[in-house]
Amino acid sequence: MTDILIDKLRNSDADDDWKKGLNIPAKDTRTQTEDVTNTKGLEWEDFNLKRDLLKGIFEAGYEKPSPIQEESIPIALAGRDILARAKNGTGKTAAFVIPALEKINPKVSKIQCLILVPTRELAMQTSQVCKILGKHLGVNVMVTTGGTGLRDDIVRLQDAVHIVVGTPGRILDLASKQVADLSECPMFIMDEADKLLSPEFTPVIEQLLQFHPKDRQVMLFSATFPISVKAFSDNNMRDPYEINLMDELTLRGITQYYAYVEERQKVHCLNTLFSKLQINQSIIFCNSTNRVELLAKKITELGYSCFYSHAKMPQAARNRVFHDFRNGVCRNLVCSDLLTRGIDIQAVNVVINFDFPKNAETYLHRIGRSGRYGHLGLAINLINWDDRFNLYNIERELGTEIHPIPAEIPKNLYVYENPETIPRPISTFKPVPIGQKQLPMPQTSQQQQVPQQPQPQQPQQAQEQQKQAQQELQQQQAQPAAQQGQPRSGHQNDWHGQNRQGYQQNRNMHQGNRGGYGGSHRGGRGRGGYQNQGQRHQNYGAPQQRGPRQQQTA
């Protein structure tokens, strides 16, 4: 008996020693709401996880498990199927990644876990979480999505891969070609399950399940569960354990306002918000890809740093925008509903619905991009006359109240005292040299910069590539614009917000009510439908005023 007690004391001393050697980031001192603090008081050690996995958890800055993690991790480790529903930004990703990493055997060179997500950006983010948490385990993680070369995926699958994160179409393509062997994959995980079980994805999901063994473990995580999820669970899950932490739908830390403005006054209202709000980073949502590009152009003309992203952009450009925005290169991001699902950017404290969504589900996921992990956030909705019924229906379905925007918004509702302490992700993205490929996004304005975070030192090879790219950019700027195939110089300067004369003309034009976006510019792609033919646009976005091209939705 005495020997057993001595061994326990030695083990406890060893536990303290391995914790002291960890590279734990600084503690996040921001206040948190009950969405993540209302826990049972469990610690990570209570789950009996591998020590190497615990090292990755602590070094990632995960201090204590959130409610959804407390509920789901023990059930997942027991091997049961799970239907888990929790709010946006409360730790659902780690709730399924941690048990998956615990159950994987690195010595077996087989795919042991498949994680499906609806978007490419979310796939990259989820794979990064897997790599960070499992960096001491020797687990190989592979991310595969559409828009990239299939040959690269085939080559990578020749080596040992334990976790595959991807979108359904690409995974099905690899499995059908017998490149990805899922016959011994015991874990099938779906994040944002409501989106993956929509009519566009359901047939692909059903086919993918046929490649898995019959005794697989299926886990579904989402913030909303429509009827289609129940039909799927009845047909493909065995006595699933249901977790529902949605006592209310909206996050408690997000303050919601609406501003009633006419369509042509929206840009002016947005400019006012930029000047009055203390924005660390913001995401601005539009309902169509065309409006995304035009609004991003207008914001840069007003002198604010801005990127944009939508589904019709090349994948390399989308990757560049996503990684740069996460790392604080730019303050504002204009996008379609492409980035409403699962994207976790801790520094975003303001979300603006430039175009109000048409249903409660989209609205819930949009405003969930701020106030991540129980922190504070602000959601502002620009409403016109046509949106009044959607506003009423969304308030009724979500059981929430969206208040009229006051003249002054208290800063304690969304402003952080020390924004420089907000955790930033570790970037592993290697930018493409500018001389090789031009990406269709606006550059950062020199007039408004995000407070830069200390970045990790780059390898020598990456630094040389960056110097080479800067030299090529200087050479291009020294050449005449006509030789580079660029638009006229005035238009190019207006795009980057550097031509003060063009900026003042746009302000005067806007004050003269020449149209919601300023009716005189030709658009980023030079289409005739965007060109002002001497008529004043009274309502931007109406199909009859946009030339022969029909209005598109994101």
Side-chain angles (χ1 to χ4, degrees):
M1 188 67 177
T2 306
D3 295 337
I4 296 175
L5 292 175
I6 293 175
D7 291 338
K8 288 184 177 181
L9 289 174
R10 289 176 178 175
N11 291 334
S12 64
D13 294 338
D15 290 343
D16 294 337
D17 292 339
W18 74 263
K19 284 185 180 179
K20 291 179 182 178
L22 298 179
N23 184 20
I24 299 177
K27 185 177 181 180
D28 190 354
T29 58
R30 294 177 293 169
T31 57
Q32 293 178 309
T33 64
E34 293 182 356
D35 290 332
V36 296
T37 59
N38 188 19
T39 65
K40 300 176 181 178
L42 296 179
E43 302 288 343
W44 291 113
E45 293 88 341
D46 297 332
F47 298 123
N48 295 321
L49 302 173
K50 301 174 186 175
R51 176 167 295 180
D52 288 337
L53 178 55
L54 288 174
K55 290 180 180 179
I57 292 174
F58 287 123
E59 289 185 346
Y62 294 7
E63 299 170 4
K64 293 183 178 181
S66 66
I68 181 61
Q69 293 163 358
E70 284 185 338
E71 294 288 340
S72 61
I73 290 178
I75 306 300
L77 292 175
R80 284 195 60 180
D81 292 356
I82 293 178
L83 275 174
R85 184 182 180 192
K87 295 181 182 181
N88 294 306
T90 55
K92 290 193 295 293
T93 301
F96 59 78
V97 168
I98 289 175
L101 291 170
E102 173 68 19
K103 297 177 69 174
I104 285 176
N105 184 2
K107 297 180 181 179
V108 178
S109 301
K110 294 283 187 179
I111 299 175
Q112 302 174 46
C113 179
L114 175 63
I115 302 176
L116 294 179
V117 295
T119 64
R120 300 169 186 174
E121 284 76 11
L122 183 54
M124 291 188 294
Q125 177 180 285
T126 304
S127 67
Q128 189 67 14
V129 173
C130 295
K131 293 175 182 177
I132 292 175
L133 295 180
K135 63 182 180 181
H136 298 290
L137 294 172
V139 173
N140 293 327
V141 182
M142 171 181 167
V143 57
T144 174
T145 63
T148 58
L150 187 63
R151 179 179 299 178
D152 295 337
D153 293 341
I154 295 175
V155 172
R156 284 188 294 172
L157 284 171
Q158 301 303 316
D159 300 328
V161 175
H162 303 105
I163 299 178
V164 175
V165 184
T167 50
R170 174 53 64 89
I171 299 293
L172 179 60
D173 194 13
L174 294 173
S176 301
K177 290 180 169 60
Q178 298 182 351
V179 177
D181 182 12
L182 303 177
S183 60
E184 300 181 25
C185 180
M187 285 180 284
F188 185 90
I189 302 173
M190 296 169 59
D191 191 16
E192 303 295 339
D194 58 330
K195 181 65 175 178
L196 289 174
L197 294 177
S198 60
E200 58 181 314
F201 285 120
T202 301
V204 180
I205 301 298
E206 297 283 353
Q207 295 180 57
L208 273 175
L209 282 171
Q210 298 176 4
F211 292 96
H212 284 72
K214 294 183 179 180
D215 58 346
R216 76 230 163 205
Q217 180 185 12
V218 181
M219 292 182 278
L220 274 59
F221 290 79
S222 184
T224 54
F225 273 167
I227 299 177
S228 59
V229 175
K230 185 179 185 306
F232 176 85
S233 64
D234 293 341
N235 296 329
N236 301 285
M237 302 178 71
R238 300 169 298 168
D239 188 24
Y241 185 87
E242 297 186 11
I243 302 172
N244 187 2
L245 302 181
M246 301 286 286
D247 52 343
E248 57 182 352
L249 295 177
T250 55
L251 291 166
R252 297 174 184 174
I254 299 179
T255 305
Q256 306 169 68
Y257 293 118
Y258 75 85
Y260 182 82
V261 292
E262 295 183 11
E263 184 68 27
R264 62 184 181 182
Q265 296 174 340
K266 281 187 175 182
V267 174
H268 176 70
C269 180
L270 188 63
N271 189 21
T272 304
L273 291 174
F274 283 160
S275 62
K276 288 192 172 185
L277 295 179
Q278 188 172 333
I279 297 176
N280 188 50
Q281 277 188 296
S282 73
I283 298 180
I284 306 162
F285 288 102
C286 296
N287 286 346
S288 71
T289 57
N290 288 335
R291 288 172 71 85
V292 166
E293 293 190 9
L294 290 173
L295 178 59
K297 180 182 188 301
K298 196 62 182 178
I299 290 174
T300 55
E301 287 176 348
L302 292 174
Y304 300 100
S305 63
C306 180
F307 288 163
Y308 69 82
S309 179
H310 56 74
K312 296 182 180 179
M313 291 171 56
Q315 188 59 44
R318 285 170 54 177
N319 293 350
R320 175 77 174 269
V321 169
F322 179 64
H323 284 84
D324 284 354
F325 185 70
R326 289 193 71 191
N327 291 310
V329 174
C330 183
R331 187 179 298 274
N332 307 296
L333 174 65
V334 183
C335 63
S336 60
D337 288 329
L338 176 73
L339 297 182
T340 59
R341 294 284 181 165
I343 299 304
D344 180 29
I345 302 175
Q346 293 282 331
V348 173
N349 65 335
V350 176
V351 169
I352 300 175
N353 282 319
F354 189 83
D355 294 333
F356 196 65
K358 294 179 173 56
N359 58 73
E361 179 183 337
T362 301
Y363 178 80
L364 185 66
H365 285 284
R366 280 187 181 184
I367 67 172
R369 296 318 99 204
S370 68
R372 304 294 296 178
Y373 209 72
H375 297 123
L376 302 179
L378 187 65
I380 298 178
N381 306 282
L382 305 187
I383 307 294
N384 58 30
W385 179 255
D386 296 332
D387 297 322
R388 64 192 188 280
F389 294 116
N390 292 334
L391 176 64
Y392 171 77
N393 292 332
I394 288 175
E395 285 183 321
R396 183 185 60 184
E397 292 182 29
L398 297 181
T400 186
E401 184 177 359
I402 306 175
H403 301 277
I405 189 168
E408 295 291 336
I409 299 178
K411 292 185 178 180
N412 61 349
L413 295 178
Y414 70 101
V415 175
Y416 309 126
E417 295 181 358
N418 299 310
E420 64 275 2
T421 62
I422 297 175
R424 293 278 186 184
I426 300 175
S427 177
T428 59
F429 177 71
K430 296 181 180 179
V432 179
I434 300 178
Q436 296 181 9
K437 191 169 186 178
Q438 295 288 342
L439 300 182
M441 64 180 183
Q443 295 180 358
T444 303
S445 170
Q446 301 296 329
Q447 301 172 7
Q448 182 183 9
Q449 296 290 340
V450 181
Q452 294 295 316
Q453 307 299 323
Q455 298 294 336
Q457 295 183 356
Q458 298 179 350
Q460 183 177 2
Q461 182 178 3
Q463 292 179 355
E464 294 177 356
Q465 292 179 353
Q466 186 175 4
K467 290 181 180 180
Q468 182 180 0
Q470 292 176 354
Q471 294 176 358
E472 293 176 354
L473 178 61
Q474 294 175 359
Q475 294 176 0
Q476 291 179 0
Q477 292 176 346
Q479 296 176 356
Q483 296 179 4
Q484 300 180 29
Q486 300 290 341
R488 67 185 192 280
S489 59
H491 177 85
Q492 182 73 5
N493 288 337
D494 288 349
W495 177 275
H496 299 304
Q498 297 167 358
N499 188 336
R500 304 307 302 165
Q501 182 178 1
Y503 163 65
Q504 187 63 36
Q505 291 176 355
N506 277 289
R507 287 187 60 89
N508 296 337
M509 183 188 310
H510 176 67
Q511 294 172 359
N513 292 330
R514 292 290 300 275
Y517 283 77
S520 65
H521 81 271
R522 297 176 179 265
R525 299 182 180 179
R527 293 173 181 159
Y530 297 149
Q531 185 176 359
N532 184 7
Q533 302 292 342
Q535 300 175 355
R536 297 187 176 184
H537 294 181
Q538 298 299 325
N539 183 12
Y540 175 84
Q544 64 270 20
Q545 297 175 355
R546 297 192 52 188
R549 187 178 180 85
Q550 295 295 325
Q551 185 177 6
Q552 299 177 357
T553 56

